[in-house]
Amino acid sequence: MRVLGALAALWLAAFCATTLAQTQVLPDFTRLVDEQGNAVVNISTTQAARRGALPQVPGIEDEEIQEFFRRFIPRQQPGPGQGPGPGQGPAPRNESRSLGSGFIITGDGYILTNAHVVEAADEITVKFTDKREFKAKVIGADKRTDVALIKIEGSSLPAVKFGDPAKLKVGEWVVAIGSPFGFENTVTAGIVSAKGRSLPQENFVPFIQTDVAINPGNSGGPLFNMRGEVIGINSQIYSRTGGFMGLSFAIPIDVALDIQKQLREKGRVARGRIGVVIQEVTRDLATSFGLERPRGALVNSVEKGSPADKAGVEPTDIIISFDGKQVENSSDLPRIVGSTRPGASSSIEVWRKGAKRSLTVTVGELQEDRIATNDKPRAKPQAEAPANRLGIVVTELSAEQKKGLSLSNGLVVTDVRPDSKADVRKGDVLLTMVHKGQHTELKSAEQFNKLLAGLDKNAVITLQVRRGEATAFVTISGLTDKG
């Protein structure tokens, strides 16, 4: 019995030690909230009522995608006596109110939030945890990154500390403080799910993805690491319902601080551009171009007279590094170039025809988005010819078509067989063919069909295709036995 009693005591001690050890590794957020919570503010805005109260994601018209990436600003509903209802008249004031969050970055009253929180606001009110309220003015806002800098009059205000998002690790605990649904100073926690996330229509922000519970009203609030340092601004959620579904996205604080510095100094943000249209390098494209693995940004076209054109960048180049920074995905390039100051001299490393080449470019400045026009004459189908091993019919461009399209060579697609594997359409113009790193400019239907005839049935090729004003690379795997 004594032996059994001793064994039971040992087991109990081991169990308690294990439980204690497990308890000790669980995070405690109380100190963080006590020290940093006062620097987080509630932001409410008032504006004249407009049609379409729900905010829209700029540049996305599809309603389902709008639902996925709905900016989360709750619109306050009319209260008793303020809106239509049984026995009630119309709302006494024709205005719309929105709620969001923000945080103080300097003791004299500069506050960071999201651009969409203060967009079109006629009046901005900032409320502190101690119930003090201040009127704020917008210093500047940048829609491309969704960062805004506002200012209140004050001194010795509590300000946040900043961390380094580059040191943030996937799986690390993070904390959000904000005003979801208007519930001020709400604290939620979770982990970093991913870093450097790209979202539709968001080319300049490498988002931090988390599973922190973020809801309408959290917009513009801070994301803290466990050292109490702000490492991001909560900006978007992925949701079909408009509420939290486990995926939240924050703007890295280093990106936001660079934006606010420019807004404070110049009132606007200057971004670099080089004038190229790019696409992602898939595994099949990497094989076609002789690249060891899928990486970089494939150049579809180069704007005439642009910095890239002057630097010698060519269509079919794959940009694998810019200014010493590796370009792993095509989405990396706009971020890197955009963060480069206009006028700077930067190095570009490209993969061209099976070898690396170094170029130097003087970065230009990105202007407001321009709408591409499609007023040049399109290639028209000409005489019918037999289909080739891709199951398509091509013919040479006429002199008039070359002039209208500003092309020296190319083949126009006049027919696509139903069983064709080629992702092309009638009227597309084929410019080059790439196979095992070899680039061939397409000059005649006979030349193109002979090239196809000499390939293995399982060959993987890439075609440079012009459709209207756009140019893209299309990869095709497998050819028919006969044309």
Side-chain angles (χ1 to χ4, degrees), residues 129 168 184 225 265 375:
T129 54
L168 197 63
E184 300 170 13
N225 61 21
E265 294 176 353
D375 53 3

Side-chain angles (χ1 to χ4, degrees), residues 33-51:
V33 176
D34 287 342
E35 293 179 351
Q36 301 299 321
N38 290 336
V40 183
V41 297
N42 170 269
I43 298 176
S44 61
T45 67
T46 304
Q47 65 185 62
R50 295 173 175 84
R51 291 183 180 274

Side-chain angles (χ1 to χ4, degrees), residues 183-462:
F183 294 106
E184 300 170 13
N185 308 111
T186 296
V187 181
T188 53
I191 62 169
V192 176
S193 304
K195 293 175 60 179
R197 236 4 147 204
S198 297
L199 300 181
Q201 307 298 319
E202 306 284 357
N203 295 326
F204 298 100
V205 180
F207 285 96
I208 301 168
Q209 179 185 325
T210 77
D211 69 350
V212 178
I214 299 295
N215 282 291
N218 275 115
S219 246
L223 184 69
F224 293 95
N225 61 21
M226 288 303 292
R227 291 179 292 280
E229 301 166 334
V230 174
I231 43 83
I233 302 177
N234 297 310
S235 177
Q236 299 191 36
I237 57 175
Y238 184 92
S239 175
R240 285 184 175 273
T241 63
F244 177 66
M245 295 184 70
L247 294 174
S248 308
F249 300 92
I251 304 161
I253 196 61
D254 55 345
V255 173
L257 289 177
D258 177 66
I259 296 300
Q260 71 84 27
K261 181 181 178 181
Q262 294 189 61
L263 291 174
R264 194 188 303 195
E265 294 176 353
K266 305 174 184 176
R268 58 183 292 271
V269 178
R271 288 190 175 84
R273 71 176 293 271
I274 59 174
V276 294
V277 176
I278 58 174
Q279 74 179 73
E280 191 70 21
V281 179
T282 63
R283 185 170 298 279
D284 285 342
L285 282 171
T287 301
S288 293
F289 282 83
L291 203 57
E292 74 280 5
R293 62 182 178 86
R295 63 184 177 119
L298 176 57
V299 178
N300 289 332
S301 61
V302 181
E303 181 185 329
K304 189 175 181 179
S306 67
D309 184 33
K310 294 175 182 178
V313 177
E314 300 177 359
T316 74
D317 282 350
I318 297 177
I319 299 176
I320 54 180
S321 76
F322 186 92
D323 209 18
K325 302 178 181 68
Q326 295 300 307
V327 179
E328 286 297 320
N329 303 298
S330 62
S331 58
D332 294 337
L333 188 63
R335 298 173 192 161
I336 299 171
V337 175
S339 63
T340 306
R341 292 291 179 265
S345 180
S346 300
S347 60
I348 303 180
E349 188 176 31
V350 302
W351 179 262
R352 180 182 297 173
K353 298 180 180 178
K356 293 180 181 178
R357 181 171 297 191
S358 296
L359 305 170
T360 302
V361 62
T362 300
V363 178
E365 183 172 352
L366 180 67
Q367 303 299 323
E368 291 300 315
D369 292 337
R370 290 168 293 180
I371 300 174
T373 59
N374 192 21
D375 53 3
K376 293 183 179 179
R378 287 191 173 209
K380 297 179 181 179
Q382 297 180 357
E384 185 67 17
N388 57 29
R389 293 186 67 194
L390 291 179
I392 63 176
V393 179
V394 297
T395 188
E396 293 83 4
L397 292 171
S398 67
E400 181 184 358
Q401 289 167 341
K402 289 178 182 179
K403 182 178 179 180
L405 295 167
S406 299
L407 294 174
S408 58
N409 290 291
L411 305 175
V412 62
V413 178
T414 61
D415 192 24
V416 180
R417 299 290 190 255
D419 59 346
S420 173
K421 296 181 180 179
D423 186 17
V424 296
R425 304 175 187 171
K426 290 182 180 180
D428 285 351
V429 179
L430 311 184
L431 303 177
T432 59
M433 186 182 91
V434 184
H435 176 60
K436 293 185 177 180
Q438 297 299 313
H439 299 242
T440 305
E441 187 176 358
L442 301 179
K443 299 180 179 180
S444 70
E446 181 182 7
Q447 168 219 24
F448 181 44
N449 293 339
K450 282 185 177 179
L451 287 171
L452 295 175
L455 298 178
D456 181 81
K457 180 180 179 180
N458 298 318
V460 176
I461 65 169
T462 296

Side-chain angles (χ1 to χ4, degrees), residues 82-99:
Q82 293 182 313
Q88 297 179 355
R93 293 190 300 173
N94 187 30
E95 64 180 27
S96 173
R97 299 181 64 84
S98 301
L99 291 175

